[in-house]
Amino acid sequence: VISRGKWMTLSGIFNYLYHNGDKIVVGKLLGTGALGLYQRTYSISMLPITEISDTFGKVTFPVFVKMSDDIARLKRAYLRSLLTITVIVVPLGVLIFMYPQILIMIILGPQWVDVAPVLRVLTVFGVIRAISISSLSPFYAVKRQEFVSQITFVSFLGLVITIIPFVNMWGLVGAAYSALFGTLISLPLVAYYLNKIFSIKNKD
C-alpha cells in the first residue's frame, strides 16, 4: 500500500498543481476579475467533456483490472474505449470551438463574448485532456502508478515553464495556451508508456 500509495499521492499533487497553477498566475498577474472570468470559461470548456471521460474511466477501470493478466485483451479493450471516447468528445469539442460566442452569451451573457478566443483554446485543451486521461486506466490496471505520476509531472512542468511568459504576452489566451501546452507535451510520454506495457507483457 505504501509503495503504490506514494505514486498515487504524487499524481494527485501534480494533477492539482497542473489544474490550478494557471489560475494562480492569472490571479497574481491579471487580477481577481480576470481570474473569475478565466475560471468560468475553463469550467464551460471542461465540464461536459471531462464528465464524459471521468464516467468512462470509472466504468472501464474495473474491467481493465480483470484483463490485466491478458494484455492482448486489455489492449483491445483500451483501444475500443479510446475510440468511443474520441467519437463522443471530438464532435462536442468541435461544436464548442465553432460557436463559442453563442455558448458564452447563453451562460455568461453578451458582455463576456470577448473571451471567445480563450474558450476556443480551452476547448481544444479539454478534448485532448479527456482523451489522454482515458489512457491512464491501463497503467493503474497493471499497477504502474509511477507512469501516471511521471506523466502528470511532465504536464505540470510544461505549465510551469510557459505560464508566466504566455500570460505576459497574451493574457487569458496565454494562460489557456499554457494549459494546452502542458497536455500536449505529455502525450509522447503517454504513448511511450502504453507501448511499453503492451509490448513487454505480450512478450511474456
Side-chain angles (χ1 to χ4, degrees):
V1 171
I2 295 174
S3 176
R4 293 298 167 186
K6 67 184 179 183
W7 295 115
M8 295 294 292
T9 301
L10 285 174
S11 296
I13 292 172
F14 293 143
N15 193 56
Y16 175 83
L17 293 173
Y18 174 57
H19 283 288
N20 291 278
D22 52 346
K23 301 175 184 67
I24 294 172
V25 173
V26 166
K28 291 288 186 180
L29 296 183
L30 303 180
T32 55
L35 172 60
L37 186 57
Y38 183 76
Q39 286 180 316
R40 291 296 300 275
T41 309
Y42 192 98
S43 298
I44 293 171
S45 66
M46 293 291 291
L47 186 59
I49 295 172
T50 54
E51 282 299 314
I52 293 170
S53 63
D54 287 347
T55 300
F56 266 86
K58 292 175 183 177
V59 173
T60 58
F61 174 65
V63 177
F64 288 168
V65 171
K66 291 181 180 179
M67 297 178 180
S68 59
D69 292 329
D70 187 348
I71 298 301
R73 189 181 175 199
L74 174 62
K75 182 178 180 179
R76 289 194 299 270
Y78 159 71
L79 291 175
R80 289 172 183 167
S81 172
L82 181 66
L83 178 61
T84 302
I85 292 173
T86 302
V87 167
I88 294 174
V89 302
V90 169
L92 181 59
V94 169
L95 190 64
I96 299 173
F97 184 87
M98 291 181 64
Y99 305 104
Q101 294 91 345
I102 296 176
L103 193 60
I104 290 171
M105 286 190 291
I106 293 173
I107 298 177
L108 298 179
Q111 67 272 25
W112 305 112
V113 75
D114 289 341
V115 298
V118 182
L119 181 56
R120 276 200 169 106
V121 177
L122 287 176
T123 298
V124 176
F125 162 67
V127 170
I128 297 175
R129 187 69 176 164
I131 294 172
S132 65
I133 287 176
S134 69
S135 299
L136 302 183
S137 292
F139 301 138
Y140 291 122
V142 298
K143 301 178 181 179
R144 300 309 300 264
Q145 292 92 335
E146 66 271 24
F147 291 169
V148 179
S149 296
Q150 293 168 25
I151 291 166
T152 53
F153 173 73
V154 169
S155 294
F156 169 63
L157 188 62
L159 178 76
V160 168
I161 293 172
T162 59
I163 184 63
I164 293 179
F166 280 17
V167 169
N168 283 330
M169 285 188 291
W170 300 304
L172 292 181
V173 177
Y177 275 128
S178 181
L180 175 59
F181 179 79
T183 289
L184 289 175
I185 200 174
S186 70
L187 292 182
L189 194 60
V190 174
Y192 170 76
Y193 281 141
L194 283 172
N195 180 69
K196 185 173 183 178
I197 64 170
F198 289 142
S199 62
I200 291 178
K201 291 292 183 177
N202 282 330
K203 291 178 181 178
D204 294 338

